[in-house]
Every structure is written in structure tokens, then in C-alpha cells.
Amino acid sequence: MLATTPLDWTWNVLVPIDPSRFYPKFGPIPATVAVREQSGPWDVVGQTRKLILADGGHVIETITDVEKEAFFAYELTDFQKVFKVLVDHARAEWTYTETPDGTLVHWTYTFIPRANRGWAVSLIVRLWWGSYMRNVLPEIIHEAERLAP
């Protein structure tokens, strides 16, 4: 998705963004309601934080890769509730590419299911996760554009 803001601006706004402001409930996916226990700046490999979910569960995010103004990735672990039964861990990747019109932002998730749970994870991804990301990403991009000088 294209942000009509320069690469450095888009990176600096989106990488540290608070997911509790942008991740609503969607089908079986609970809303993120708070961020707790962030271990440091959210652009350094090894930093962690806990996302508190509306269903009473949480998930831990750990930054695994950072290439400033190009690529950002984190692993999600310690799923709770229904996702604990289905998902071993997940990986989110954000790619930022400068274009003549702004910054192209690409966001992907990969879920690693628990044994014999791949069919259920695949169903959730097909029915809800793709639509969820397509609804959330424009709101996040809009934030970078809204805050632009």
C-alpha cells in the first residue's frame, strides 16, 4: 500500500506505532487493547513487548530484523486462548520501498501452526486474517499521512 509520505517519515511513524490504536476485533481475532512491558525502543533487534488482547489473552512480540528504512520483522510467541491451541508462533514482516509518489509499505504475516492444526490456521487466515490486514493497513498508513508536516 502506498503512503504519500517520504520514506524516512513513513518509517519513523509506522515502526514504533501503538497497535492498540489500530488493531480492532475482527471475526475471531481479538482487539489489541494495550502494550505492556516494552523493553526499549521499538526499532532494535531483540526488543520485546506484550500485546494485551480484548479476550484476556496476550502475545509477545520480539524484533528479529531491522534494516533502517527498508525492512522490519518481529516474531510473535506465547499466544493465549484459542490461538494458543492453534499457533506455535508467527512472523510479521514490513517492507518499505521509496517511490516517486511516497513509500510503498508491504506487511505480511506467516503463522506456524501447532501439529495437526494447520487446517484450522489456514481457515482463519483465508476467512479473516487477509481481510483484517487489508482493513488495518490503510488506517496505519493514514496515520503517517495525517501526522506529516
Side-chain angles (χ1 to χ4, degrees), residues 25-65:
K25 178 177 178 16
F26 191 86
I29 302 164
T32 299
V33 296
V35 178
R36 303 270 192 266
E37 302 171 22
Q38 187 166 317
S39 62
W42 200 243
D43 62 354
V44 176
V45 171
Q47 300 296 343
T48 63
R49 65 185 183 184
K50 181 186 286 188
L51 303 185
I52 307 301
L53 307 176
D55 68 357
H58 68 264
V59 64
I60 304 294
E61 293 181 333
T62 304
I63 299 175
T64 59
D65 301 273

